[in-house]
DNA sequence: AGCACGCCGACT
DNA sequence: GTCGGCGTGCTC
């Protein structure tokens, strides 16, 4: 068997939650174009055509079925097998299928799926008289718009229409065709050249009295860009710089002064940015420690308080990678990917930075994918959110994970339910790349690893220019109420602080970890709370849009004028969200400029960006918001930070709640005190004595860690054990409970693991599915992989039981 | 996950 | 009788 002959069969992965790969035959003529990582078109099922990825090549003809043939080769999407190994690892580690991993890994532009198109084959005059009106309607639609799909019909007329259409196909009046929309992946860029020998014409354009001002601006912009050292001047850049329109540019092209050539984007040379700034003494020391840690092949954890200059260190490290020609990935929490950060990195790395996150368009994402795959200089440095770990790297040298502790690195639904930080660490080991974790408040896991000697710890505790840490004041809501010093949700102390800041033209940030106006609408007469009819949770009032919304399933409805049970019109709102806080602030400080930053207002990119620039330039006095105000924003005029109520952070029923509370409070506190004045933080609470708050007050991470790790050691939580959360779902509550109880007892057969539960999660019904969870605790000295396999086999066994077949389940590994 | 097939209740 | 509901099982 010679490898020159090529393989006869390919195992492919489909973007579906299927446990195994599927084998297709390779037509001889396609054989030379197919390798591992090639994207191919295959038929799967009776009609549908999908793009799939080749994961294995072989010559073993299957004996129990006749494989279908690969229809077409779409080209490579992954060049380095290590990326596929990464997918495989993730599926196994996070207990899901490789298809599910593929589904999140690939930008959707790379996932083709055919649609069934219908065409009317017979002229109206020959239509059978016996056809019903609905049939005629289907025929009319398909005749008028020949691209009508089966899905279009279903969307418009319901599933019945699909059955009708199939009948029409059977009797031969309707034709059926699978159609796929192909996408070109190569990006062509229009590059502009100037014909310098056209001296006279150029002089004429540049003449101060020229009538063609727009054209003059373009020529000037061209010279400006050239002077800045750009090797390629694209049409895009020219139009942006000159503010002229395409019309003016076309005129110059017609005069033969400018010339436009199209080149592939991958052929562009990218200009690098400026040199990195010199490090301070403390930073230099930290830098050397990081290098030393890397030299020992260890992961480095950089524990540096806000404003200690972590980003400068990142830049220095990335500069080194840039010089060596390797690829570097910088992970950032999604909401911290602000223009502020991007501009800063562009300054240092010019056009060698690529962005990758979910708010980008599909086209932009697949462009970055291709660019990384080809190892273009334009994507030597990728700054991205969680999903950037799936990019097809081939020469990855360094991964930086900023805000390492951030909970948004975890994807909690759907599968794969993975921890992006931990996955990135595994990715790095596949490539032999170094990893730097950066944070002001390390996660308990990471800090634990430094104490175990697994990670190197680098501390950077000197703030810039001797900036001082903010003063934290705890305000006892109960006491304030007694003294009649609460106005709505605000204590007199906080009001006075805001007032003082306003008078001195300083900014204030108010943090409330809940969006909407109020989380509960309750009837004062019968006590009925407006609940979501699909979930076991109260509906949140969104006053601005006058609607009730479910934050779990997304359903919304208008606010009822009266109680739906007793008809009473005495409806009261309980609890406060950001909208209400904003309202209260406007009446407390009528003249102040107040803005709100939360998921609802950040929907519009424009409004979001405006808010950030207004905040920077001092156009906003008070910014109210959820966690979004705690991330990535470097506002320099903020002096006061207020936390409306810390208690809902502290008493969340989850073992990580205290860690999260500490991190959030420290971060929001860190927003203040960059203006030269010492920042002031006011935390309102009923529990001034809570340990977390005392640690925040003294900014004492180590004390917090000691306390928290003691708790987790005592009550057996990670990092002292491994923990997996197994969740069961079903529409029938009784069946779900029975299944959960039985499975729990079966899982106890797996040796040495601790099985806890089953218990209901805080919200026990979402989208009409009841949920029950089982916690599995696994000792650290036991093989994680082997135990997971045992758990899998118990579950597979259990869920093939006829009674429990319909119960759905999923795992949250390292929950 | 889709999608088809097939088995049962309610409406011409 | 037929239509349409959803439960069940397969997809190379
Ligand atoms: Zn009522
Ligand atoms: Zn809901």
């Amino acid at each position: 068997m010679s490898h020159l002959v090529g393989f006869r069969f390919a195992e492919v992965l489909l973007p579906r939650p299927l446990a195994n790969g599927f084998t297709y035959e390779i037509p001889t003529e396609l054989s030379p174009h197919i390798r591992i990582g090639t994207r191919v078109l295959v038929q799967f099922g009776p009609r549908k055509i999908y793009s799939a990825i080749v994961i294995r090549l072989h010559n073993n003809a299957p004996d129990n079925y006749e494989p279908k043939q690969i229809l077409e080769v779409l080209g490579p999407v992954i060049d380095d097998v290590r990326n596929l190994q990464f997918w495989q690892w993730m599926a196994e580690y996070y207990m899901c299928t490789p298809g599910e991993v593929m589904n999140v890994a690939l930008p959707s532009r790379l996932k083709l799926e055919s649609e069934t198109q219908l065409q009317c084959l017979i002229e109206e005059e020959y239509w059978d008289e016996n056809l019903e009106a609905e049939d005629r309607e289907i025929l009319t639609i398909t005749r008028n718009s020949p691209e009508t799909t089966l899905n279009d019909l279903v969307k418009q007329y319901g599933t019945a229409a699909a059955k009708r259409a199939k009948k029409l196909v059977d009797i031969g009046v309707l034709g059926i065709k699978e159609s796929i929309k192909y996408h070109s992946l190569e990006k062509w860029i229009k590059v502009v050249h100037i014909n310098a020998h056209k001296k006279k014409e150029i002089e004429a354009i540049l003449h101060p009295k020229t009538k063609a001002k727009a054209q003059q601006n373009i020529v000037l912009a061209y010279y400006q860009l050239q002077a800045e050292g750009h090797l390629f001047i694209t049409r895009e850049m020219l139009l942006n710089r000159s503010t002229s329109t395409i019309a003016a540019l076309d005129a110059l092209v017609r005069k033969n002064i400018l010339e436009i050539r199209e080149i592939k984007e991958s052929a562009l040379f990218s200009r690098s940015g400026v040199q990195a700034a010199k490090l301070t003494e403390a930073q230099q020391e930290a830098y050397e420690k990081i290098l030393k840690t890397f030299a020992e092949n260890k992961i480095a954890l950089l524990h540096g308080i806000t404003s200690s200059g972590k980003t400068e260190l990142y830049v220095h490290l990335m500069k080194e990678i840039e010089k060596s020609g390797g690829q570097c990935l910088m992970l950032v929490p999604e909401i911290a990917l602000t223009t502020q950060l991007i501009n800063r990195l562009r300054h240092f790395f010019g056009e060698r930075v690529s962005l990758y996150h979910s708010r980008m368009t599909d086209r932009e994402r697949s462009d970055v994918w291709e660019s990384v795959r080809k190892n273009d200089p334009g994507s030597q440095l990728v700054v991205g959110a969680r999903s950037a770990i799936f990019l097809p790297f081939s020469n990855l040298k360094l991964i930086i994970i900023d805000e390492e502790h951030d909970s948004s690195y975890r994807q909690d639904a759907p599968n794969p339910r993975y921890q992006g930080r931990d996955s990135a660490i595994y990715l790095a080991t596949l490539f032999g790349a170094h990893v730097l974790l950066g944070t002001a408040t390390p996660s308990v896991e990471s800090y634990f690893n430094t104490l175990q000697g697994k990670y190197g710890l680098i501390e950077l505790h000197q703030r810039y220019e001797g900036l001082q840490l903010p003063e934290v004041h705890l305000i006892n809501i109960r006491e304030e109420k007694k003294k009649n010093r609460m106005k709505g949700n605000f204590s007199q102390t906080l009001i006075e602080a805001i007032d003082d800041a306003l008078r001195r033209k300083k900014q204030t940030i108010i943090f409330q970890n809940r969006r909407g106006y109020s989380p509960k609408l309750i009837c004062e007469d019968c006590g009925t709370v407006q609940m979501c009819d699909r979930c076991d949770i109260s509906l949140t009032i969104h006053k601005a849009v006058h609607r009730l919304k479910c934050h779990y399933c997304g359903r919304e409805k208008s606010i009822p004028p009266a109680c739906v049970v007793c008809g009473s019109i005495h409806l009261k709102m309980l609890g406060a969200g950001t909208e209400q806080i904003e309202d209260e602030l406007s009446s407390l400080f009528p003249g102040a400029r107040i803005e709100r930053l939360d998921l609802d207002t950040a929907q519009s990119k424009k409004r979001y960006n405006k808010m950030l620039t207004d905040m920077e330039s001092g156009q906003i006095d008070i910014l109210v918001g959820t966690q979004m105000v705690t991330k990535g924003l470097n506002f320099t005029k903020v002096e006061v930070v207020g936390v409306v109520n810390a208690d809902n952070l502290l008493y969340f029923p989850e073992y990580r709640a205290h860690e999260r509370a500490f991190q959030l409070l420290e971060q929001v506190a860190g927003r203040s005190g960059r203006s030269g004045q010492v920042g002031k933080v006011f935390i309102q609470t009923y529990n001034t004595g809570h340990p977390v708050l005392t640690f925040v007050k003294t900014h004492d991470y180590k004390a917090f860690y000691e306390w928290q790790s003691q708790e987790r050691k005592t009550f057996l939580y990670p990092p002292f054990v491994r923990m997996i959360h197994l969740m069961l779902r079903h529409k029938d509550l009784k069946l779900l409970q029975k299944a959960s109880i039985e499975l729990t007892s079966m899982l106890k057969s797996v040796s040495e693991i601790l099985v806890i539960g089953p218990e209901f999660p805080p919200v026990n019904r979402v989208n009409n599915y009841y949920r029950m969870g089982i916690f599995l605790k696994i000792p650290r000295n036991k093989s994680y992989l082997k135990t997971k396999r045992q758990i899998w086999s118990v579950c597979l066994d259990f869920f093939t039981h006829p009674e429990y077949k319909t119960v759905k389940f999923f795992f949250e590994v390292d929950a």
Side-chain angles (χ1 to χ4, degrees):
Chain A
M1 192 191 357
S2 158
H3 64 277
L4 290 170
V5 176
F7 293 98
R8 287 176 54 210
F9 300 101
E11 190 180 329
V12 304
L13 210 56
L14 289 149
R16 291 273 167 269
L18 303 163
N20 26 326
F22 289 80
T23 304
Y24 284 81
E25 198 182 341
I26 303 173
T28 358
E29 71 275 16
L30 295 185
S31 183
H33 310 291
I34 291 179
R35 285 175 294 142
I36 286 171
T38 302
R39 199 165 56 116
V40 293
L41 228 46
V42 295
Q43 188 185 48
F44 185 63
R47 273 182 279 123
K48 243 177 148 125
I49 294 165
Y50 292 97
S51 61
I53 290 187
V54 176
I55 53 166
R56 199 166 69 89
L57 294 165
H58 61 88
N59 286 313
N60 318 318
D63 46 14
N64 49 345
Y65 58 88
E66 190 61 39
K68 289 181 177 158
Q69 291 212 327
I70 286 175
L71 302 173
E72 206 176 302
V73 174
L74 295 168
V77 276
I78 285 173
D79 289 339
D80 194 310
V81 266
R82 286 175 290 189
N83 294 294
L84 286 174
Q85 282 168 12
F86 179 58
W87 292 10
Q88 220 85 42
W89 168 83
M90 183 174 275
E92 181 150 44
Y93 188 91
Y94 289 106
M95 303 174 90
C96 63
T97 69
E100 287 169 321
V101 177
M102 172 183 175
N103 212 9
V104 289
L106 287 184
S108 33
R109 182 168 260 265
L110 296 178
K111 291 181 287 186
L112 305 181
E113 195 174 312
S114 71
E115 279 198 294
T116 311
Q117 274 187 1
L118 304 166
Q119 296 105 350
C120 178
L121 298 175
I122 291 175
E123 297 294 324
E124 188 165 1
E125 50 204 287
Y126 302 115
W127 289 357
D128 192 329
E129 296 163 22
N130 300 326
L131 287 177
E132 290 169 44
E134 287 92 333
D135 294 326
R136 289 176 175 275
E137 204 166 337
I138 290 174
L139 289 174
T140 312
I141 289 172
T142 52
R143 190 198 50 201
N144 293 346
S145 39
E147 306 229 311
T148 309
T149 67
L150 200 59
N151 269 342
D152 294 338
L153 281 186
V154 171
K155 255 182 236 154
Q156 222 176 329
Y157 302 100
T159 45
K163 279 202 171 173
R164 278 184 186 278
K166 266 173 211 149
K167 280 217 169 125
L168 293 170
V169 171
D170 287 342
I171 60 170
V173 286
L174 207 58
I176 200 167
K177 194 181 107 194
E178 287 299 303
S179 115
I180 316 165
K181 287 205 185 84
Y182 290 80
H183 300 291
S184 135
L185 292 181
E186 187 58 72
K187 197 174 173 184
W188 291 80
I189 303 281
K190 292 193 168 72
V191 176
V192 182
H193 294 264
I194 199 159
N195 284 324
H197 63 272
K198 297 259 173 188
K199 268 188 191 150
K200 261 190 208 157
E201 288 88 342
I202 295 173
E203 268 168 32
I205 294 285
L206 291 178
H207 191 88
K209 281 181 187 160
T210 181
K211 276 186 268 175
K213 265 277 176 261
Q215 296 179 32
Q216 187 183 62
N217 284 339
I218 290 182
V219 175
L220 286 172
Y222 190 94
Y223 284 130
Q224 219 178 62
L225 288 163
Q226 206 171 43
E228 285 168 20
H230 288 271
L231 299 169
F232 288 90
I233 297 168
T234 68
R235 196 179 65 158
E236 219 52 43
M237 289 157 69
L238 209 48
L239 292 176
N240 283 341
R241 182 67 66 96
S242 66
T243 68
S244 299
T245 59
I246 294 179
L249 199 140
D250 284 347
L252 286 165
V253 172
R254 254 181 279 115
K255 289 182 196 166
N256 226 345
I257 292 169
L258 295 183
E259 198 182 317
I260 294 183
R261 294 177 207 155
E262 289 205 17
I263 64 170
K264 286 185 181 176
E265 189 187 36
S266 46
L268 286 176
F269 298 98
S270 317
R271 193 178 54 115
S272 189
V274 303
Q275 291 274 303
K278 210 167 177 300
L279 296 176
T280 66
E281 212 171 294
Q283 286 170 336
Q284 186 61 34
E285 201 180 309
Y287 182 69
E288 274 154 29
K289 274 191 195 156
I290 293 170
L291 293 183
K292 195 167 152 267
T293 309
F294 285 171
E296 291 165 18
N297 270 322
K298 279 204 237 166
I299 290 162
L301 174 68
L302 175 62
H303 180 198
I305 52 175
T306 17
S307 291
S308 62
K310 290 192 291 291
T311 316
E312 282 74 10
L313 284 175
Y314 300 162
V315 168
H316 268 255
L317 285 163
M318 290 193 280
K319 276 279 172 194
E320 287 305 306
I321 303 299
E322 190 197 4
K323 269 188 236 156
S324 77
Q327 293 170 314
C328 171
L329 169 64
M330 177 170 171
L331 290 178
V332 173
E334 180 100 37
I335 51 170
L337 269 170
T338 55
T339 12
Q340 249 181 3
L341 174 70
I342 308 314
N343 288 342
R344 207 154 157 209
L345 292 170
R346 284 237 192 277
H347 173 69
F348 289 112
F349 299 103
E351 284 139 29
R352 303 226 170 137
V353 194
S354 279
L355 269 181
Y356 197 77
H357 58 80
S358 63
R359 281 167 299 158
M360 283 160 65
T361 66
D362 205 15
R363 172 83 218 200
E364 290 169 323
R365 277 160 73 90
S366 67
D367 284 346
V368 175
W369 182 281
E370 275 301 285
S371 165
V372 171
R373 186 178 66 79
K374 291 180 185 149
N375 206 351
D376 283 347
S379 55
Q380 239 192 316
L381 308 165
V382 177
V383 185
R386 192 175 65 208
S387 62
I389 56 174
F390 297 110
L391 284 167
F393 297 103
S394 53
N395 192 19
L396 189 60
K397 291 282 167 64
L398 173 68
I399 302 181
I400 293 170
I401 306 172
D402 192 29
E403 310 277 4
E404 158 277 324
H405 63 278
D406 196 90
S407 57
S408 75
Y409 282 123
R410 187 183 300 278
Q411 163 154 324
D412 19 54
N415 273 356
R417 293 168 159 86
Y418 66 99
Q419 174 26 293
R421 175 197 61 208
D422 300 349
S423 304
I425 288 170
Y426 182 76
L427 183 70
T429 62
L430 277 175
F431 282 91
H434 293 304
V435 178
L436 174 64
L437 307 173
T439 173
T441 48
S443 64
V444 172
E445 287 98 326
S446 296
Y447 205 78
F448 173 82
N449 281 330
T450 66
L451 297 183
Q452 297 281 303
K454 246 179 99 184
Y455 295 178
L457 176 66
I458 295 99
E459 294 185 307
L460 192 58
H461 290 325
Q462 210 172 311
R463 267 191 138 179
Y464 259 164
E465 292 148 15
L467 285 183
Q468 283 183 307
L469 287 168
E471 290 167 10
V472 176
H473 306 268
L474 304 180
I475 301 171
N476 191 327
I477 302 175
R478 192 176 292 109
E479 298 283 306
E480 294 284 307
K481 270 191 175 160
K482 256 192 234 159
K483 293 183 199 148
N484 211 6
R485 277 170 58 89
M486 287 296 285
K487 270 191 194 160
N489 287 289
F490 288 87
S491 61
Q492 199 56 45
T493 317
L494 180 50
I495 293 171
E496 278 158 21
I498 299 170
D499 200 45
D500 184 50
L502 276 174
R503 236 177 289 134
R504 290 185 297 108
K505 307 255 181 287
K506 298 285 183 182
Q507 292 173 311
T508 297
I509 287 181
I510 301 293
F511 172 74
Q512 169 71 331
N513 202 26
R514 189 190 275 145
R515 68 195 168 94
Y517 192 87
S518 169
K520 262 185 186 145
L521 186 62
I522 185 168
C523 168
E524 285 187 282
D525 289 319
C526 74
T528 304
V529 175
Q530 285 285 316
M531 303 289 281
C532 176
D533 46 10
R534 291 200 195 178
C535 311
D536 187 41
I537 190 81
S538 67
L539 291 166
T540 299
I541 300 129
H542 287 248
K543 209 177 170 192
V545 289
H546 209 76
R547 291 188 83 72
L548 294 176
K549 291 187 186 175
C550 172
H551 288 185
Y552 280 79
C553 72
R555 273 171 76 83
E556 44 179 280
K557 54 182 177 187
S558 57
I559 302 175
C563 173
V564 286
V565 174
C566 74
S568 160
I569 54 160
H570 302 291
L571 300 178
K572 199 172 98 186
M573 292 184 274
L574 269 186
T578 44
E579 251 186 70
Q580 184 172 349
I581 299 300
E582 185 190 11
D583 263 18
E584 284 186 11
L585 283 167
S586 337
S587 51
L588 284 168
F589 308 102
R593 294 162 299 179
I594 302 166
E595 280 288 348
R596 170 163 60 92
L597 177 59
D598 56 27
L599 214 66
D600 298 307
T601 62
Q603 285 292 320
S604 144
K605 222 173 168 175
K606 237 188 190 166
R607 182 165 174 198
Y608 177 62
N609 279 331
K610 184 166 176 358
M611 229 181 297
L612 297 192
T613 46
D614 283 357
M615 193 67 191
E616 265 175 83
S617 62
Q619 301 287 305
I620 296 173
D621 299 315
I622 306 175
L623 184 68
V624 188
T626 55
Q627 292 166 58
M628 294 188 90
V629 300
T630 66
K631 292 281 153 57
L633 312 166
N634 191 17
F635 303 134
T636 49
K637 298 184 187 73
V638 178
E639 193 176 294
V640 173
V641 164
V643 176
V644 178
N645 191 332
D647 298 345
N648 41 40
L649 288 175
L650 295 170
Y651 294 94
F652 198 78
E654 212 248 302
Y655 81 92
R656 268 188 249 266
H658 289 148
E659 179 181 357
R660 232 172 82 82
F662 180 80
Q663 287 160 350
L664 268 175
L665 292 173
E666 270 298 322
Q667 277 202 4
V668 72
R671 301 299 102 193
S672 73
R674 299 178 183 193
S675 61
Q677 296 282 336
V678 178
K680 293 186 196 112
V681 181
F682 298 87
I683 300 176
Q684 303 189 139
T685 171
Y686 280 95
N687 304 276
T688 42
H690 197 288
V692 168
L693 297 181
T694 60
F695 300 132
V696 172
K697 193 173 159 70
T698 50
H699 303 291
D700 193 345
Y701 176 80
K702 276 184 189 137
F704 159 77
Y705 176 83
E706 284 309 323
W707 170 75
Q708 183 58 204
S709 78
Q710 203 49 54
E711 297 266 297
R712 295 202 191 173
K713 204 173 191 170
T714 317
F715 298 105
L716 279 182
Y717 278 108
F720 299 95
V721 290
R722 312 257 196 200
M723 195 156 91
I724 296 173
H725 189 212
L726 168 54
M727 191 78 111
L728 312 196
R729 301 191 311 144
H730 203 276
K731 283 188 177 175
D732 179 348
L733 178 60
K734 282 268 151 59
L735 179 65
L736 175 71
Q737 278 175 303
K738 193 165 174 246
S740 305
I741 290 165
E742 194 154 321
L743 180 58
T744 302
S745 75
M746 282 183 73
L747 283 164
K748 284 180 178 155
S749 71
V750 179
S751 63
E752 289 178 76
I753 73 166
L754 217 62
V755 186
I756 295 148
E759 50 195 54
F760 287 111
V763 179
N764 68 38
R765 185 174 54 113
V766 173
N767 241 324
N768 275 338
Y769 278 90
Y770 289 95
R771 313 187 299 172
M772 253 191 140
I774 302 167
F775 282 99
L776 305 162
K777 291 181 179 179
I778 302 152
R780 281 183 74 92
N781 58 18
K782 202 169 146 52
S783 162
Y784 205 11
L785 196 62
K786 272 186 202 156
T787 313
K788 278 190 275 200
R789 284 192 184 143
Q790 287 172 35
I791 294 168
W792 245 124
S793 82
V794 170
C795 288
L796 283 185
D797 220 41
F798 179 80
F799 289 107
T800 45
H801 234 269
E803 205 187 343
Y804 304 125
K805 243 185 238 177
T806 54
V807 180
K808 304 227 190 310
F809 69 103
F810 61 83
F811 293 96
E812 292 171 309
V813 176
D814 298 333

